[in-house]
Amino acid sequence: MGPVAAVSAPRRSLAAVLRRALWWTLLTLTGGVERRGALPRGGCVVVANHSSHADTAALLAALDARHSPAIGAAADYWFASPWRRRICSRLAAGFPVRRTGGGLDDLLSRAADLRAGRAVVLFPEGTRARDGELGSFHRGALVLAEHARVPVVPVAIAGTDRLLPKHGRLRPALVRVAIGAPLPASATPEEARDAVAALRRRTAGEPLADSRARKRVAAVAGSRAGLALGFAWACAEALSWPLMPELFLAVTCAALPRRALKLSLAALAGSLAGGLLALQLASSGVQLPQPLTTDRMRSEVRHELSVESAAAVRHQPWNGIPFKVYAHEADRADVAPSAWLARSALSRGSRTLTVGLAFGAFGFLAHRLRRRYGLYLALLAGGFAAGLSLVVAGWS
C-alpha cells in the first residue's frame, strides 16, 4: 500500500461511518430502518433490487461501515452536473457508471477496491423498477466479481417504494434490508436475480408487528367519527367532563400521526365552543358539576379575571386549572363573549395544537414500536392519573 493509499484509507473509513450515521438518523426519523444478516469478511459485490432513490440511503444506513461501501450510480444522471456529482460522491459514496458504452470499464476499475476489502454496491436492473417488479439483471456486476475473485452478495430492500415512490413524495415508512448468503463469483445474472427476488418476497411479505389496540384507535381517528369525537370530548371538558382533550390527542395522534393536525383543530374547535356555551349557561344560572376542581382554583380564577378580564385565560394552559373553571367564572366577571372567544382561542390553541402535533411527531418517530401501543396507553394512563392527582393536591 503506497503512502497516498495509507492516508486515504482511514479517511475513507471515517467518511463511511459518518455517512452511515447520517442516513441511519434520517431513515429513523422517517419510519425506521431494520437490517437482517451481515456482509461476509473481505471485499464483495452487493447486488440489490432498485425501486426508489431511497435505496441508496437504505444500503448506506444498513451495511457495515468497515466495508466502506461504494455505490454505482448512473453517470448520465448523478454526475451530469457539479452539484449532483458532489452530492452523490460525498453523501452517497457514489461512483459513475456509464449506461451507454464504457460501463463495464467503469465497473472493472473498482476491482482494486474489492481486493482491499471494500463492498461495491450495484443495482443490476440499471434503473428503478415500478410496482415492485424485479427486472432482469445485467451481467456487469457478475463480471466484476469474477474479475476481482470476490463473492456476490444478494440484498433485498423493502419499504423504500412506500417511503419515496418513483415520481412520488416522501412519506413515513419502515425500510427493511435483508442480506442473503454469498454466491460464488461464477454465479450467473439469473442466479443472482433469483436470490434477490426470493429475499425480497420474504422481506416484503413479512407483516409488520402491530397492536390491535392501535389499529382500532387509528381506524376511529382516521374517520369522520374521530373528528366528531375530538370535538365532543373537548366541548364536554369545557363544560364538566374531567378529562382534558389533550389526553384524547395523546391517544389518537400517537396512533395515527398523519391525522394529528386535523384532530387537534377539531379538539380546539370543541374547546372554544364549549367555553362559549359554559359562559352562556353560567349567565342563565345553570350550575354544571365540576369534578376534580377545588375552591382554591375558583378563587384564583376569580382574582385573575377581576384584574385581567378575558386576558386572564392566558394563564390556563400552564397553571393546571381546568378550562371549565375559567369558562364558568368568566360570566361573573362580566367578560364579553367576543373578547372571551379571542383570548381563549389564543391560549387554548397554543396548548392544544402544540400537544397534538407533539404526540403526532412522537407517533411518527416511534413507528417501529407500534406493536407496543398497549404498553404506551398503560404508561399514558398512569402518568396522566399521577399528574392529575398532583395538580388537584397542589390546588387543594
Side-chain angles (χ1 to χ4, degrees):
M1 182 180 287
V4 174
V7 172
S8 62
R11 291 180 181 175
R12 189 169 57 219
S13 298
L14 176 60
V17 170
L18 294 176
R19 274 191 292 267
R20 189 181 189 208
L22 169 67
W23 293 115
W24 184 89
T25 300
L26 293 178
L27 288 177
T28 297
L29 293 175
T30 56
V33 57
E34 291 181 352
R35 185 191 79 173
R36 292 189 178 180
L39 295 179
R41 291 183 177 275
C44 59
V45 174
V46 173
V47 291
N49 58 296
H50 193 27
S51 59
S52 167
H53 282 319
D55 292 334
T56 297
L59 290 171
L60 288 172
L63 299 181
D64 298 321
R66 62 186 173 85
H67 282 89
S68 299
I71 298 185
D76 59 330
Y77 182 82
W78 287 109
F79 290 83
S81 64
W83 68 270
R84 280 187 182 177
R85 181 166 58 250
R86 292 190 190 98
I87 290 175
C88 185
S89 59
R90 294 177 184 177
L91 297 184
F95 65 90
V97 178
R98 287 167 287 181
R99 290 193 280 193
T100 54
L104 187 57
D105 292 335
D106 296 333
L107 294 179
L108 294 178
S109 68
R110 314 306 297 191
D113 288 335
L114 290 169
R115 296 187 186 109
R118 296 188 71 184
V120 173
V121 180
L122 298 171
F123 300 112
E125 294 169 274
T127 187
R128 289 171 293 164
R130 287 182 177 273
D131 302 324
E133 293 295 329
L134 200 63
S136 59
F137 278 17
H138 298 294
R139 65 186 184 93
L142 288 307
V143 172
L144 172 61
E146 191 168 15
H147 179 75
R149 297 182 180 179
V150 297
V152 177
V153 180
V155 172
I157 309 169
T160 52
D161 53 345
R162 294 188 298 276
L163 176 68
L164 185 61
K166 190 173 183 178
H167 307 307
R169 294 182 299 175
L170 183 69
R171 55 187 177 182
L174 174 65
V175 173
R176 292 171 168 176
V177 177
I179 302 173
L183 301 174
S186 58
T188 66
E190 291 74 20
E191 290 172 338
R193 182 191 179 280
D194 291 343
V196 172
L199 268 177
R200 190 182 184 284
R201 281 194 300 270
R202 289 199 301 269
T203 306
E206 183 179 344
L208 181 63
D210 202 348
S211 162
R212 289 184 180 179
R214 192 210 67 85
K215 289 180 180 179
R216 291 173 181 172
V217 171
V220 174
S223 65
R224 292 182 180 179
L227 298 179
L229 180 59
F231 180 93
W233 183 307
C235 183
E237 192 272 341
L239 296 171
S240 180
W241 178 246
L243 303 182
M244 59 187 185
E246 286 77 9
L247 179 61
F248 167 82
L249 295 177
V251 171
T252 56
C253 294
L256 193 64
R258 61 182 174 82
R259 194 76 163 174
L261 180 58
K262 289 184 177 180
L263 291 167
S264 301
L265 290 173
L268 175 59
S271 185
L272 297 179
L276 282 177
L277 181 56
L279 196 67
Q280 295 302 316
L281 290 174
S283 65
S284 302
V286 178
Q287 299 291 329
L288 293 176
Q290 294 183 347
L292 303 180
T293 61
T294 68
D295 290 337
R296 187 165 169 240
M297 288 180 182
R298 289 184 280 273
S299 177
E300 176 66 20
V301 170
R302 290 190 199 108
H303 172 70
E304 291 176 0
L305 289 168
S306 67
V307 175
E308 302 180 61
S309 189
V313 77
R314 66 188 176 88
H315 302 291
Q316 190 275 325
W318 320 113
N319 61 16
I321 299 177
F323 184 53
K324 57 179 170 282
V325 177
Y326 279 86
H328 181 267
E329 297 296 333
D331 174 68
R332 295 187 180 184
D334 294 325
V335 174
S338 58
W340 172 255
L341 180 61
R343 291 289 186 171
S344 58
L346 181 62
S347 65
R348 291 296 295 167
S350 64
R351 189 172 82 171
T352 302
L353 294 177
T354 299
V355 169
L357 295 178
F359 277 103
F362 170 76
F364 180 83
L365 296 177
H367 177 76
R368 295 173 62 185
L369 302 176
R370 59 186 186 178
R371 65 184 182 279
R372 306 294 185 190
Y373 183 76
L375 176 62
Y376 164 75
L377 290 182
L379 293 175
L380 180 66
F384 177 79
L388 185 59
S389 299
L390 291 175
V391 168
V392 174
W395 281 103
S396 295

